Amino acid sequence: MATQRILDFLATRRPDGPCLVVDLDIVEDNFNAFRKALPDSAIFYAVKANPAPEVLRLLASLGSNFDCASVAEIEMALEAGATAKRISYGNTIKKERDIARAHALGVSLFAVDCVEEVEKVARAAPGARVFCRVLTDGEGAEWPLSRKFGCVPTMAIDVLMQANALGLTATGVSFHVGSQQTDTEAWDAAIADAKYVFEALADKGIVLTLVNMGGGFPTRYLKDVPAASAYGQAIFASLSKHFGNRLPETIIEPGRGMVGDAGVIKAEVVLVSKKSDEDANRWVYLDIGKFGGLAETMDEAIRYPIVTQHDGERTEPCVIAGPTCDSADVLYERTPYPLPISLTVGDEVLIEGTGAYTTTYASVAFNGIEPLRAYVI
Amino acid sequence: MATQRILDFLATRRPDGPCLVVDLDIVEDNFNAFRKALPDSAIFYAVKANPAPEVLRLLASLGSNFDCASVAEIEMALEAGATAKRISYGNTIKKERDIARAHALGVSLFAVDCVEEVEKVARAAPGARVFCRVLTDGEGAEWPLSRKFGCVPTMAIDVLMQANALGLTATGVSFHVGSQQTDTEAWDAAIADAKYVFEALADKGIVLTLVNMGGGFPTRYLKDVPAASAYGQAIFASLSKHFGNRLPETIIEPGRGMVGDAGVIKAEVVLVSKKSDEDANRWVYLDIGKFGGLAETMDEAIRYPIVTQHDGERTEPCVIAGPTCDSADVLYERTPYPLPISLTVGDEVLIEGTGAYTTTYASVAFNGIEPLRAYVI
């Protein structure tokens, strides 16, 4: 939701064009909520969700660790004050020369999900710690989870044995239950898989110590979502159920859950029209769309709350579209969005819950439109 | 296809990381083919397809006009040597202050598709010429055409009458048959609609003169497409059929058809793996994906030809994915892509037909990855 600080900023600064405003107080609240919900888990913030320097500096100062997807993100985390020991290179898809650069920067924790990646890490970062990502089904997640990352648990056993054979430290298992995961029980099956891999490796004399439980923690969009504490309780119960009183070290990687609700995009209504006199829906065109930062509206996956100055007045179902000359740049059409009938050209709207996965997704210049500006306050 | 000039450039320069190389000779050939195919139509290049300054300068020097989606694109076209008279502000969604800026730059031709937009143009660009876009069904197009742009023909009559009433010059009708349109007959129904609007306006004493037939001209990807000359013949036949010997002025707006086959992206195989021993498909991960310039693989709409050093060897169906930590960053999965079994980590591949709708679609920094670099030779 738009905090008073964000509203005051917008009222005072009156920035022209669409922009994101992020309130650091909310980020700090979210960090503290995660720390309280899972006090024994290390927090590795998923930098890709929002790599704004101010966000990274705040989280570094609060003691966060960082889950990085690329060398550029590793450099940003270091720049923000994190040490290399607090950084995980969490992308399972890495060029060997990038692994070498990360290694040279001191990073020693790497994600893998196949023997081929283990071989690269062994060559480029000898002695590093690796965790193997296992596949999950992503049920309950609102952002589609594909089979892109991870392997089946039986293959993870081979991957970690190979890591061990090549002189790496086979340190554990990771998984991801799918982004915007609203089922607090979604972690249970994957934790069971982790335990299975732990036991299989123990039989081979290899002691795993780490379960990286990934992200997936949601932001509140239009529907209520469970609080961090509910996730903490469910996850802790699963860990106890499967690992008994020999709990492993654990990591969580919140991204959306850390910054999503800390940001609000201010946008402008550029046009309101109908396609024919009989059209059941009005078309509302904003100055931001799928290529300007709202990429997660792809297939209408994420449905953002939109606040207008006319809320409370009578509404009409609207198709909402972006400003580009691209016919695919439509945000909500399959399920039209109710907006006040009095909404008109030139009105400002606030798109809430946009602190994560917006600025960096914005296209560099599609239709000559500049990338989404961001203010972190 | 990769021309010898492109291959020589890549062999000599060995650029690191993914990049697009555009061969201006092909752009010039395409321009000449369009001019020959439709000698009586004015060519307005759709700048959004590829706004590289070298491309715009070449086309300006060849006599092209420019279809611009924003003030930034108008400024690029002017910078490239076009005069304002050769520029159309073809986006139907414009802020009033942007219309005023275009008007101040001398642009006098504007697209509209509703009365609300006409009112903005009348206030911000008094006396300008406007054409009204009508809806088409987009059948036969490979890139999805939504109802985002245009209105039904009966509404177009009201829109153009209102333009006339507000002191604008109601100049004609535009439409778009859908991008990557492979049916040369797709223009016929829309030309009939245009004629219907011409006649209705004539009955009111308003003489329209222009039919803007939009873009949609395809690039050859994996399947052959008709030549520009085939489109020219079909379109000219439709114009004659509906307008008789009183042919209107016409405009075409090629974008993809002008630059698509002039560009090739060089990419690198980052990882090849399977998810389980039983997996029917290999996964091939490239250093470019949906957020690095290949946005048109959305829903697997555009299927690019991919050339490897191992072509001709035995192939296996592969899922192809991009390098980011985003599960949606998968290019081809529903219909796996046959690639040589010998393809391996570190191999370079050429992704053909990528001269249009790639560089500017690239995200500004998702996962810390820099936008797609481009070389125009």
Side-chain angles (χ1 to χ4, degrees), chain B residues 199-373:
Chain B
E199 285 189 344
L201 270 286
D203 289 347
K204 317 275 184 185
I206 299 169
V207 179
L208 300 182
T209 57
L210 177 74
V211 178
N212 177 342
M213 305 187 291
F217 307 98
T219 279
R220 188 191 185 286
Y221 296 112
L222 287 167
K223 283 176 273 184
D224 273 330
V225 296
S229 56
Y231 287 91
Q233 284 160 24
I235 289 170
F236 185 77
S238 286
L239 284 168
S240 301
K241 178 170 105 186
H242 298 295
F243 284 90
N245 55 8
R246 301 191 56 181
L247 293 185
E249 290 172 57
T250 52
I251 279 177
I252 56 170
E253 298 174 331
R256 189 188 305 277
M258 189 76 87
V259 293
D261 66 349
V264 169
I265 285 174
K266 185 270 292 179
E268 179 180 331
V269 176
V270 183
L271 186 62
V272 180
S273 66
K274 289 202 168 191
K275 299 292 164 188
S276 74
D277 291 330
E278 297 73 37
D279 211 340
N281 300 326
R282 298 203 302 168
W283 281 68
V284 173
Y285 300 86
L286 303 178
D287 61 357
I288 185 169
K290 206 169 248 173
F291 304 109
L294 302 179
E296 291 205 318
T297 59
M298 189 192 291
D299 297 326
E300 309 194 12
I302 299 291
R303 200 165 169 89
Y304 294 107
I306 299 177
V307 175
T308 79
Q309 305 142 32
H310 307 283
D311 288 352
E313 299 176 26
R314 201 155 65 85
T315 64
E316 196 173 37
C318 296
V319 178
I320 304 181
T324 66
C325 278
D326 192 312
S327 48
D329 184 15
V330 175
L331 306 180
Y332 305 115
E333 181 175 18
R334 217 167 43 212
T335 309
Y337 200 107
L339 287 174
I341 292 173
S342 49
L343 190 71
T344 187
V345 172
D347 282 352
E348 280 186 7
V349 300
L350 298 180
I351 309 173
E352 298 186 333
T354 43
Y357 299 114
T358 50
T359 47
T360 52
Y361 262 128
S363 74
V364 66
F366 191 54
N367 276 222
I369 295 172
E370 63 180 27
L372 181 62
R373 269 171 305 127

Side-chain angles (χ1 to χ4, degrees), chain A residues 58-125:
Chain A
L58 169 69
L59 290 171
S61 75
L62 293 172
S64 186
N65 305 282
F66 296 90
D67 163 38
C68 295
S70 64
V71 172
E73 287 192 355
I74 290 169
E75 290 168 340
M76 290 178 218
L78 291 170
E79 184 69 28
T83 58
K85 296 284 164 245
R86 286 162 63 188
I87 291 172
S88 159
Y89 196 162
N91 192 339
T92 52
I93 310 155
K94 301 174 288 297
K95 289 182 182 172
E96 190 166 324
R97 53 191 185 275
D98 287 335
I99 297 170
R101 288 165 68 198
H103 178 67
L105 291 169
V107 173
S108 63
L109 184 60
F110 295 85
V112 296
D113 68 356
C114 61
V115 165
E116 292 80 356
E117 193 72 12
V118 164
E119 290 169 352
K120 285 192 263 175
V121 176
R123 284 191 297 266

Side-chain angles (χ1 to χ4, degrees), chain A residues 251-271:
Chain A
I251 278 176
I252 55 171
E253 299 175 331
R256 189 189 305 278
M258 188 77 86
V259 293
D261 65 349
V264 170
I265 285 174
K266 184 271 292 179
E268 179 179 331
V269 176
V270 182
L271 186 63

Side-chain angles (χ1 to χ4, degrees), chain A residues 6 58 62 88 103 125-126 141 187 195 206 234 240 246 249 256 260:
Chain A
I6 292 175
L58 169 69
L62 293 172
S88 159
H103 178 67
W187 279 256
K195 173 63 174 170
I206 300 169
S240 302
R246 301 192 56 180
E249 292 171 55
R256 189 189 305 278

Side-chain angles (χ1 to χ4, degrees), chain B residues 73-109:
Chain B
E73 287 193 354
I74 291 169
E75 289 168 339
M76 290 178 219
L78 291 170
E79 183 70 28
T83 58
K85 295 286 165 245
R86 287 162 63 188
I87 291 172
S88 158
Y89 196 161
N91 193 339
T92 52
I93 310 154
K94 301 174 289 298
K95 289 182 181 172
E96 189 165 327
R97 53 193 187 274
D98 287 335
I99 298 169
R101 288 165 68 198
H103 178 67
L105 291 168
V107 173
S108 62
L109 183 60

